[in-house]
Amino acid sequence: MNNNIIVSSRVRLARNLKNQPFTNNTDFDKANNVLTSAFNALSEISNFNLYKCKNLKSEMLEEMLEDHLISGELINNSDISGVAISPDNTVSIMVNEEDHFREQCMLDGLNLKRAYDIISDIDNELSLSLDFAYDEKLGFLTACPTNVGTGLRASVMMFLPGIVLTNNLEDMISTVSKLGICVRGAYGEGSSASGYMFQISNQFSLGKSEEEIVQLVESTALKICDLEIKARKLLLDNNKDALKDEVLRAYGILSNCYKISTSEATELLSKVKLGADIDLINLKEPQLIDDLIKNISPIKINKLSNKVLNENERDLFRAEYIGRVLKNNRI
Amino acid sequence: MNNNIIVSSRVRLARNLKNQPFTNNTDFDKANNVLTSAFNALSEISNFNLYKCKNLKSEMLEEMLEDHLISGELINNSDISGVAISPDNTVSIMVNEEDHFREQCMLDGLNLKRAYDIISDIDNELSLSLDFAYDEKLGFLTACPTNVGTGLRASVMMFLPGIVLTNNLEDMISTVSKLGICVRGAYGEGSSASGYMFQISNQFSLGKSEEEIVQLVESTALKICDLEIKARKLLLDNNKDALKDEVLRAYGILSNCYKISTSEATELLSKVKLGADIDLINLKEPQLIDDLIKNISPIKINKLSNKVLNENERDLFRAEYIGRVLKNNRI
């Protein structure tokens, strides 16, 4: 059950080089030196794919953004920024984002400890050849004070339709914020929650050890998991027929419509995902729903079609694609 | 194409016995004498099934009403009224409705002339044993002056989604009313048009011969048919993608939902019917859509389930039934 609620785990470390101005206060040459030193160090320790953002087409950058491999800020800095990505896409090291280094590891399910171990090993190797700005009292120094200390943010992506549909979201957010945990939409700060997806992460990177922060986020995620399970039970007890009807209609529209937008498709797929999780619909391959949720954005649809489509053409292609994938999947 | 627009044709004659008070001004014994004379005459001329309304369960009466075999007024008079129905359900003779006799013949498609011939033959046979109230100047006498003369109403049931969806209904109604034709919902006076179904009939039964009235209704129906075909072309020219999307979503909901009301199901089935008529959806057996439209009312669902269900149970049964009938029907 946990794996259907906790979608993925991510740990990131913020690091900066000693005696170099922060990215928001630098000039082109200095920033370029940071990028060069970073890529040299990164190419020593693993077989990362190294990309300078200025060499990438905007479609490619948008796709990386959707896949959580880079941030919007890295794209904003694309004349001086770059990224190193592991062949399996689990590790990405952004260079010249808000900090010189944003090192992250993202794994499926609830896997924060392992993600921390992986990114920590890479960070240790990098620190052998790079001199990170570090203060004995404060810890790692960062561009924004909220990241000072461990420079660590541990986050889990959670699928919380039960909590949303029982109107318990605000209560949950206010409860966990007292524990130093914040809740955001799927694409971080300022993004809205599409398809009942939420990011749960630590608010502070100072005053606790890395292990304690990881432990706090993990235990909070498990508590939210329990709340979600209870909320789903409540939905089934109080509204089973209406909810089952909504889920089955969502499937019916998805598998038959002629055109559909990303946001409507995401909403309907999320309802079907919920329905599959709580046995309101039987699907031969429920995994297809998760795959579809990841593959229906404008960027992905353009890629799938091998064309640059306009919005209307994409809505037609998306409907045809979803219909083809779902065909005869309901048992 | 005509047969998908003109669903059925109906002709009815209003008749009253000479020297008997009209139904609205009679007493029980006199009305009962009318019923007895009527059934005696009817049993002589054909193998009608004869029913006294007071002997029928209300479910049976409601089903006959839905099938246009009897009227609401006949049910209101059920202590004194009766009906004779031919084995193939094409002819029904109501006794002690607003008039002593309401003789009707209903056939599929555009078939007014044949329907008139059939009911006229029966009327001639009845008049051999019964003495109908007739005035040399006025013609047949009836309870309501609008039926005096021929006592004939010729009507066709038409499926007019194109005219409705292009907002041309009011124009059409005002045009044909100048020809002496009126437009009503599927269940006659005061009923609303469910599923784009309309009854087109003559406004006056006086001043024209029977043949002229039948000819007028038939030629007007054909004109409306042309308007409907033009309206459908316009929809396809201007809104093809959006309309196709609506049709396919309607099919998706119908074939997957868990509960559905009569009115929503009728609306969605009517959209699919339109879509099948104009090739926006390909169905293995498009006839199933017409069958479903006739078989999803509360009365029919209770009958199909062999139980008396409450409204919620019927909505669940209806959804399951429609889903089963439509399963894998889309090509």
Side-chain angles (χ1 to χ4, degrees):
Chain A
M1 184 67 144
N2 281 0
N3 269 353
N4 291 331
I5 295 173
I6 304 182
V7 178
S8 61
S9 301
R10 181 156 52 144
V11 171
R12 74 109 166 97
L13 300 171
R15 299 289 185 259
N16 289 277
L17 294 181
K18 197 181 273 181
N19 303 323
Q20 291 284 340
F22 288 133
T23 312
N24 61 5
N25 193 32
T26 190
D27 61 32
F28 181 79
D29 288 342
K30 284 179 185 149
N32 219 31
N33 287 340
V34 170
L35 187 58
T36 305
S37 324
F39 274 17
N40 285 339
L42 284 161
S43 61
E44 291 294 309
I45 63 166
S46 184
N47 59 339
F48 288 118
N49 296 310
L50 302 171
Y51 305 99
K52 292 185 176 177
C53 291
K54 66 181 174 192
N55 295 334
L56 297 179
K57 282 191 177 169
S58 64
E59 292 87 349
M60 175 88 173
L61 290 170
E62 290 292 331
E63 193 186 341
M64 288 175 166
L65 178 66
E66 267 185 19
D67 293 341
H68 301 276
L69 292 168
I70 64 172
S71 65
E73 180 134 5
L74 196 82
I75 297 178
N76 291 341
N77 294 352
S78 63
D79 53 334
I80 53 166
S81 63
V83 63
I85 299 176
S86 66
D88 64 358
N89 281 358
T90 57
V91 173
S92 86
I93 318 281
M94 291 185 273
V95 182
N96 286 331
E97 209 253 17
E98 183 181 292
D99 297 297
H100 295 154
F101 290 82
R102 287 284 178 102
E103 311 160 10
Q104 77 161 22
C105 177
M106 185 164 70
L107 300 174
D108 285 345
L110 183 58
N111 237 326
L112 278 181
K113 284 171 189 158
R114 172 127 186 78
Y116 174 70
D117 287 345
I118 291 172
I119 204 65
S120 180
D121 284 351
I122 291 170
D123 184 59
N124 286 336
E125 288 199 69
L126 280 179
S127 65
L128 296 178
S129 57
L130 298 168
D131 206 359
F132 289 143
Y134 185 80
D135 177 274
E136 281 300 327
K137 262 196 178 154
L138 292 171
F140 291 100
L141 301 177
T142 56
C144 175
T146 59
N147 292 314
V148 167
T150 58
L152 182 148
R153 183 178 289 271
S155 64
V156 288
M157 186 76 82
M158 301 190 74
F159 178 62
L160 303 175
I163 290 175
V164 173
L165 295 174
T166 53
N167 297 315
N168 281 308
L169 186 63
E170 281 188 33
D171 271 6
M172 183 275 280
I173 292 175
S174 109
T175 305
V176 302
S177 77
K178 287 170 198 152
L179 303 170
I181 294 290
C182 67
V183 180
R184 296 166 173 177
Y187 286 90
E189 230 162 331
S191 75
S192 65
S194 74
Y196 313 119
M197 286 290 181
F198 297 88
Q199 255 188 47
I200 315 291
S201 63
N202 58 307
Q203 250 164 338
F204 310 107
S205 53
L206 198 67
K208 281 197 167 70
S209 73
E210 284 84 348
E211 288 74 14
E212 285 169 334
I213 292 172
V214 165
Q215 180 54 40
L216 171 69
V217 176
E218 180 160 320
S219 65
T220 309
L222 287 171
K223 275 178 204 146
I224 295 174
C225 227
D226 285 343
L227 290 177
E228 173 64 19
I229 291 167
K230 278 191 193 119
R232 290 180 183 191
K233 282 214 182 89
L234 199 70
L235 282 177
L236 285 178
D237 288 346
N238 296 345
N239 293 303
K240 187 172 176 182
D241 284 1
L243 189 61
K244 184 165 182 171
D245 188 43
E246 267 195 75
V247 167
L248 295 180
R249 282 167 183 247
Y251 180 85
I253 292 172
L254 286 164
S255 52
N256 286 281
C257 65
Y258 187 60
K259 49 186 290 188
I260 193 162
S261 68
T262 308
S263 65
E264 187 190 3
T266 304
E267 190 196 320
L268 296 179
L269 284 165
S270 301
K271 271 198 188 133
V272 175
K273 180 174 159 66
L274 167 65
D277 284 355
I278 56 179
D279 294 329
L280 292 179
I281 185 170
N282 291 318
L283 298 176
K284 283 181 202 152
E285 299 172 81
Q287 176 57 37
L288 289 178
I289 303 298
D290 290 306
D291 296 348
L292 281 173
I293 290 174
K294 286 181 198 143
N295 284 313
I296 55 166
S297 68
I299 297 288
K300 295 287 170 65
I301 291 296
N302 274 339
K303 200 178 167 189
L304 271 172
S305 72
N306 275 322
K307 285 179 201 155
V308 179
L309 306 173
N310 66 30
E311 191 179 336
N312 187 51
E313 291 165 338
R314 270 200 304 275
D315 289 353
L316 295 173
F317 188 93
R318 184 180 294 111
E320 194 274 326
Y321 169 64
I322 294 174
R324 187 153 32 86
V325 171
L326 290 185
K327 197 170 166 64
N328 299 328
N329 214 268
R330 192 181 157 194
I331 304 167
Chain B
M1 183 64 142
N2 281 0
N3 270 353
N4 291 330
I5 296 173
I6 303 182
V7 178
S8 61
S9 301
R10 180 154 51 142
V11 172
R12 75 108 168 98
L13 301 172
R15 298 288 184 261
N16 289 276
L17 294 182
K18 197 181 273 182
N19 303 324
Q20 292 285 338
F22 288 133
T23 312
N24 61 5
N25 194 32
T26 190
D27 59 34
F28 181 79
D29 288 341
K30 283 177 186 153
N32 218 30
N33 287 341
V34 170
L35 187 58
T36 306
S37 324
F39 274 17
N40 285 341
L42 285 161
S43 60
E44 290 293 307
I45 62 167
S46 184
N47 59 338
F48 288 118
N49 296 310
L50 302 173
Y51 305 98
K52 290 186 177 176
C53 291
K54 65 181 174 193
N55 295 334
L56 297 179
K57 282 191 176 169
S58 64
E59 293 87 349
M60 175 88 174
L61 290 170
E62 289 292 330
E63 193 186 340
M64 289 176 165
L65 178 66
E66 268 184 21
D67 293 341
H68 301 276
L69 292 169
I70 64 172
S71 66
E73 181 135 4
L74 197 81
I75 296 178
N76 291 341
N77 295 352
S78 61
D79 53 334
I80 53 167
S81 62
V83 62
I85 299 176
S86 67
D88 64 356
N89 282 357
T90 56
V91 173
S92 86
I93 317 282
M94 290 185 274
V95 182
N96 286 332
E97 209 252 18
E98 183 181 293
D99 295 297
H100 294 153
F101 290 80
R102 286 285 177 103
E103 311 160 9
Q104 77 162 22
C105 176
M106 184 164 69
L107 300 174
D108 286 344
L110 183 57
N111 238 325
L112 278 181
K113 283 172 188 154
R114 171 125 187 78
Y116 174 70
D117 288 344
I118 290 171
I119 205 63
S120 180
D121 284 352
I122 291 170
D123 184 59
N124 287 336
E125 288 198 69
L126 279 178
S127 66
L128 297 178
S129 56
L130 297 167
D131 206 1
F132 290 141
Y134 185 81
D135 177 275
E136 282 299 326
K137 262 193 176 157
L138 292 171
F140 290 99
L141 301 178
T142 56
C144 175
T146 60
N147 292 313
V148 166
T150 58
L152 183 147
R153 184 179 289 271
S155 64
V156 288
M157 186 76 81
M158 302 190 74
F159 178 62
L160 304 175
I163 290 174
V164 174
L165 295 174
T166 54
N167 297 316
N168 280 310
L169 185 62
E170 282 188 33
D171 271 7
M172 184 275 278
I173 291 175
S174 109
T175 305
V176 301
S177 77
K178 286 170 199 152
L179 303 171
I181 294 290
C182 66
V183 180
R184 296 166 174 178
Y187 286 89
E189 227 161 332
S191 75
S192 65
S194 74
Y196 313 120
M197 285 289 179
F198 297 88
Q199 257 188 45
I200 315 292
S201 63
N202 56 307
Q203 252 164 336
F204 311 107
S205 52
L206 198 66
K208 281 196 167 71
S209 73
E210 283 84 348
E211 289 72 16
E212 284 169 333
I213 292 172
V214 166
Q215 179 54 41
L216 171 69
V217 176
E218 178 160 322
S219 66
T220 309
L222 287 171
K223 275 179 203 145
I224 296 174
C225 227
D226 284 345
L227 290 177
E228 173 64 19
I229 291 166
K230 278 190 192 120
R232 292 181 181 190
K233 283 214 180 90
L234 200 69
L235 282 177
L236 285 178
D237 288 348
N238 295 345
N239 293 304
K240 187 173 176 182
D241 284 0
L243 189 62
K244 184 166 181 171
D245 188 42
E246 269 194 75
V247 167
L248 295 181
R249 283 168 182 246
Y251 180 85
I253 291 171
L254 286 165
S255 51
N256 286 279
C257 65
Y258 187 60
K259 50 187 289 186
I260 194 161
S261 68
T262 308
S263 65
E264 188 190 3
T266 304
E267 190 196 321
L268 296 178
L269 284 165
S270 301
K271 270 196 188 137
V272 175
K273 180 173 159 67
L274 166 66
D277 284 356
I278 57 179
D279 294 330
L280 293 179
I281 185 169
N282 290 319
L283 298 176
K284 282 180 203 150
E285 299 172 81
Q287 176 57 36
L288 289 178
I289 303 299
D290 290 307
D291 296 348
L292 280 173
I293 290 174
K294 284 180 201 142
N295 283 313
I296 54 166
S297 69
I299 297 288
K300 295 287 170 68
I301 291 296
N302 274 340
K303 199 176 169 192
L304 270 172
S305 73
N306 274 321
K307 284 179 202 156
V308 179
L309 305 173
N310 67 30
E311 191 178 337
N312 187 53
E313 291 166 338
R314 269 199 305 273
D315 288 355
L316 295 173
F317 188 94
R318 185 180 293 111
E320 194 275 327
Y321 169 64
I322 294 174
R324 186 153 34 86
V325 171
L326 290 184
K327 197 170 166 64
N328 298 328
N329 213 269
R330 192 181 156 195
I331 304 167

